[in-house]
Amino acid sequence: RSADETTFTVSDDMAAMISEGLHYSEVSHGAYDLTIEPLSSLWNFTSDEHVIPAEDDITAAAERVNWKNVKLDGNTLTFLSPDTTIDLGSIAKGYIADRMKDYLTESGVESAIINLGGNVLCVGERTNHQPFRIGLQKPFADYATVFADLNIDDMSVVSSGVYERHFEKNGVNYHHLLNPKTGYPYQNGLVSVTIVSPRSVDGDVLSTTCFSMGLDKGLELINSMDGIYAYFITDDYKLIYSDGAEAFIDEIKEKLKAHDKNFEYDKEHLVIKAELFKCSSLPIYSSCLSCLGMENAEYICKETVRPKNYFPSPEECLKIKAILEYVSTRFRKTPKEKTEKELEELIDTLIEV
């Protein structure tokens, strides 16, 4: 719009989306802001160039962000500042999914899944009268890789995370969830937020709002709402539920473990590369991490100390990995659940390698 255009008549659908955005902007005290557009247009998270905008440009764009400069009265939208623009990216998919569900149910459809990529909305239950199983995506993994399944009946599942649209530069992960006040991506200790709700538009905007508010305030907000549930993943990979959310979990497929911030595991050659790492038994730790998860890996490594500068050959890495896979498959237990004899046998075998 041009700077002198301040008042518009908008459609019912547009008015409904803007109303949702203004509501959650107010609820979050601006941690989520409907007028983030100057910043979201400035950053480019899809380019291969990985450019961080100039600080002056970020500051100038952030000064234009203020949801209080938008007024909605029925279908009349008024901008109180010529610099104000809006971004419906955190609302539109959820709203559209809800309208698609309305159309399907009005047409007599009783069982269906609407998947708009990150936004999943279930119509009723499965045809065998069982809930749909909706996966929670594993952070920084392939889109189809999930770490848990949820039992969902006639509800929506929406996630927002720092691994969706992002790039890494100089060891910092820059992602699309931007702080309206600073203009930079949020660095608040969260990796992702997933919302389960009856309406997908609520899940869409709340996943961004709760991420923006941070764990404590986001959790407080969700717990104050009826029939809406949340799953928070922190940057140390703890999964935290809102009240009642655990009841939806059908299966935890694997324990979450950290993204490769401290090491890389070359699957083709099974060679471990590392810089600084707290565990003296790095090769065993990495193999444990791959097979049994972080907590169990640390536990095993405390019992199998190697010289700090010891690096095994690819063949030794293969043996270690094979042993751990065998143990985890055979016993179906984590190391802390094993008997003392089983644990001693495992440790002796690893040390012999």
Side-chain angles (χ1 to χ4, degrees):
R1 70 183 178 92
S2 61
D4 59 346
E5 292 181 294
T6 59
T7 302
F8 300 85
T9 299
V10 297
S11 67
D12 291 343
D13 287 330
M14 181 64 71
M17 286 189 283
I18 293 172
S19 178
E20 294 284 353
L22 289 173
H23 169 68
Y24 285 108
S25 295
E26 181 176 11
V27 165
S28 68
H29 303 287
Y32 165 86
D33 197 309
L34 180 71
T35 64
I36 195 74
E37 194 276 334
L39 286 168
S40 59
S41 293
L42 181 63
W43 287 85
N44 187 345
F45 297 103
T46 59
S47 170
D48 293 331
E49 297 181 2
H50 300 171
V51 175
I52 301 171
E55 186 173 353
D56 289 346
D57 292 340
I58 293 175
T59 300
E63 290 175 351
R64 296 172 53 194
V65 179
N66 187 343
W67 64 273
K68 293 181 180 179
N69 286 329
V70 176
K71 181 181 178 182
L72 182 67
D73 184 7
N75 290 74
T76 301
L77 173 65
T78 304
F79 293 96
L80 305 181
S81 168
D83 294 328
T84 302
T85 49
I86 61 176
D87 184 344
L88 297 177
S90 59
I91 299 173
K93 280 202 295 185
Y95 185 84
I96 292 169
D98 289 333
R99 301 292 74 77
M100 292 174 68
K101 180 177 180 178
D102 290 343
Y103 174 79
L104 291 175
T105 54
E106 289 168 4
S107 301
V109 175
E110 298 180 352
S111 178
I113 290 183
I114 301 166
N115 188 345
L116 300 184
N119 294 55
V120 176
L121 179 58
C122 297
V123 179
E125 58 187 3
R126 294 160 63 187
T127 54
N128 61 359
H129 303 296
Q130 296 297 314
F132 289 102
R133 295 183 68 185
I134 307 300
L136 292 181
Q137 183 182 351
K138 184 178 178 181
F140 295 102
D142 180 81
Y143 180 75
T145 303
V146 301
F147 70 90
D149 285 329
L150 303 181
N151 284 324
I152 300 297
D153 183 349
D154 206 42
M155 297 185 80
S156 164
V157 181
V158 181
S159 297
S160 289
V162 303
Y163 49 86
E164 294 172 315
R165 297 195 301 278
H166 72 109
F167 62 83
E168 293 188 15
K169 192 167 186 176
N170 299 325
V172 178
N173 183 41
Y174 294 91
H175 55 83
H176 75 291
L177 296 166
L178 300 171
N179 185 331
K181 295 179 175 60
T182 68
Y184 287 87
Y186 275 105
Q187 303 292 340
N188 60 5
L190 289 176
V191 173
S192 76
V193 176
T194 297
I195 302 293
V196 174
S197 58
R199 297 195 311 161
S200 192
V201 67
D202 288 322
D204 206 358
V205 70
L206 275 171
S207 63
T208 304
T209 300
C210 289
F211 189 101
S212 302
M213 295 177 73
L215 175 61
D216 293 338
K217 291 182 179 179
L219 197 58
E220 181 181 355
L221 174 62
I222 293 299
N223 286 336
S224 71
M225 306 176 80
D226 292 331
I228 297 180
Y229 309 91
Y231 306 84
F232 296 79
I233 300 177
T234 62
D235 58 7
D236 57 355
Y237 283 73
K238 292 180 181 177
L239 179 61
I240 298 173
Y241 315 109
S242 67
D243 294 345
E246 192 170 2
F248 290 92
I249 294 181
D250 178 78
E251 178 186 7
I252 298 289
K253 294 180 177 294
E254 65 173 285
K255 185 174 179 178
L256 283 171
K257 57 192 179 185
H259 178 48
D260 52 346
K261 295 177 181 177
N262 298 306
F263 71 91
E264 297 177 355
Y265 199 86
D266 185 326
K267 294 182 179 179
E268 182 178 357
H269 301 292
L270 295 170
V271 175
I272 299 165
K273 305 173 183 178
E275 297 178 355
L276 298 176
F277 209 78
K278 63 182 179 180
C279 181
S280 63
S281 187
L282 175 65
I284 295 178
Y285 182 93
S286 298
S287 294
C288 284
L289 189 61
S290 175
C291 300
L292 300 176
M294 178 173 290
E295 182 179 349
N296 299 325
E298 291 181 355
Y299 181 76
I300 289 285
C301 287
K302 288 177 183 178
E303 306 295 332
T304 57
V305 178
R306 295 274 190 149
K308 287 188 177 181
N309 295 324
Y310 172 76
F311 285 85
S313 67
E315 290 75 18
E316 288 177 308
C317 287
L318 266 173
K319 289 173 68 176
I320 292 170
K321 183 173 175 61
I323 290 168
L324 289 166
E325 287 178 336
Y326 169 75
V327 170
S328 61
T329 301
R330 176 182 174 186
F331 294 113
R332 297 289 181 184
K333 304 174 185 176
T334 63
K336 288 187 177 181
E337 294 173 331
K338 297 183 188 309
T339 65
E340 184 176 346
K341 182 179 179 182
E342 290 172 343
L343 184 57
E344 287 178 354
E345 290 177 353
L346 171 59
I347 293 169
D348 289 341
T349 306
L350 289 172
I351 291 174
E352 288 174 4
V353 174

